[in-house]
Amino acid sequence: MAKLHFFYSTMNAGKSTSLLQSNHNYKENGLDTIIFLPNETSKLSNGQIVSRIGLKAKAVVADKEFNFLKYIKEKTTKNLSCILVDEAQFLSKSQVRQLGQVADKLNYPVMCYGIRTDFRGELFEGSAELLALADNLIELKTICSLCNRKATMVVRKDENGNIVTEGSKIVVGGNDIYMPVCRKHYQKLTKLI
């Protein structure tokens, strides 16, 4: 029976690289995959999943109204073997449940990659549902930008490098905006926990 997997971490842990490597492995063996990317990040990457080390692949862009179960039923091929989703934190609760049905009813493994918490230390909707429903939870690790401890949180910076603790939950960006940190440094920098 296929499973729903959630690979989670902070920024800079190699989530997109890991997804692209998994996709490559399937393709090398003559197997088909479908790669998805939520609309929130698609504009920045022209509808591609792009890793910081330069790997990239075209993805199907999914907005909040997108139905994964319906789409995958319509796009099934003889060799379809895996569903891959990047930036899964941006999925809705119902979309995560649809992906669970893809694993349970259509028998395709679903591998979701995303960030667990936002810059305020609060779970994203998609991440919360994946933490509740996924068959496998796999943490991809990276280190704190300020010490050698494991990073478990992320802080947001403004254009002057100052730490931001309020604002929109979703601001897409990279190292220019976000910094992975351990819980100790997160508390010290934000005073939120």
Side-chain angles (χ1 to χ4, degrees):
M1 184 163 139
K3 295 184 179 180
L4 175 61
H5 308 271
F6 183 34
F7 297 82
Y8 67 92
S9 69
T10 64
M11 302 283 292
N12 295 335
K15 295 176 299 299
S16 296
T17 302
S18 181
L19 180 152
L20 292 167
Q21 180 64 54
S22 293
N23 183 60
H24 173 78
N25 292 344
Y26 278 97
K27 298 285 189 186
E28 279 286 299
N29 287 296
L31 303 171
D32 295 336
T33 62
I34 303 176
I35 305 173
F36 294 99
L37 180 66
N39 192 48
E40 286 83 350
T41 59
S42 68
K43 293 173 189 85
L44 200 62
S45 65
N46 285 334
Q48 295 185 51
I49 295 175
V50 180
S51 73
R52 285 183 177 81
I53 63 170
L55 302 173
K56 59 185 170 182
K58 188 77 175 143
V60 176
V61 177
D63 65 15
K64 292 294 185 202
E65 305 305 314
F66 189 86
N67 186 307
F68 286 93
L69 185 59
K70 181 181 177 198
Y71 182 90
I72 293 165
K73 278 183 181 178
E74 293 172 358
K75 300 296 180 182
T76 297
T77 65
K78 181 179 155 233
N79 287 331
L80 184 60
S81 298
C82 186
I83 308 303
L84 300 141
V85 183
D86 202 18
E87 305 290 355
Q89 69 270 12
F90 297 132
L91 298 174
S92 69
K93 189 175 189 176
S94 66
Q95 287 175 321
V96 171
R97 291 180 178 188
Q98 291 164 17
L99 290 168
Q101 291 175 6
V102 168
D104 297 341
K105 293 180 179 178
L106 303 181
N107 203 33
Y108 296 121
V110 178
M111 301 169 69
C112 297
Y113 296 78
I115 296 172
R116 189 175 52 156
T117 58
D118 68 9
F119 72 106
R120 294 175 292 207
E122 298 172 1
L123 288 170
F124 284 97
E125 180 179 351
S127 300
E129 195 68 7
L130 281 161
L131 288 168
L133 299 182
D135 298 296
N136 290 318
L137 300 172
I138 304 101
E139 182 180 24
L140 301 175
K141 297 173 181 73
T142 191
I143 59 170
C144 176
S145 296
L146 302 172
C147 70
N148 62 358
R149 295 177 65 188
K150 180 175 83 170
T152 57
M153 314 291 284
V154 65
V155 293
R156 184 186 292 168
K157 303 176 286 182
D158 65 16
E159 59 278 352
N160 298 317
N162 300 312
I163 302 301
V164 177
T165 59
E166 295 179 349
S168 175
K169 186 171 189 78
I170 299 173
V171 174
V172 178
N175 294 337
D176 55 327
I177 300 174
Y178 294 102
M179 180 173 60
V181 294
C182 64
R183 186 180 56 246
K184 178 181 176 181
H185 281 110
Y186 180 82
Q187 193 283 327
K188 185 177 181 179
L189 293 168
T190 68
K191 311 288 190 270
L192 292 175
I193 59 171

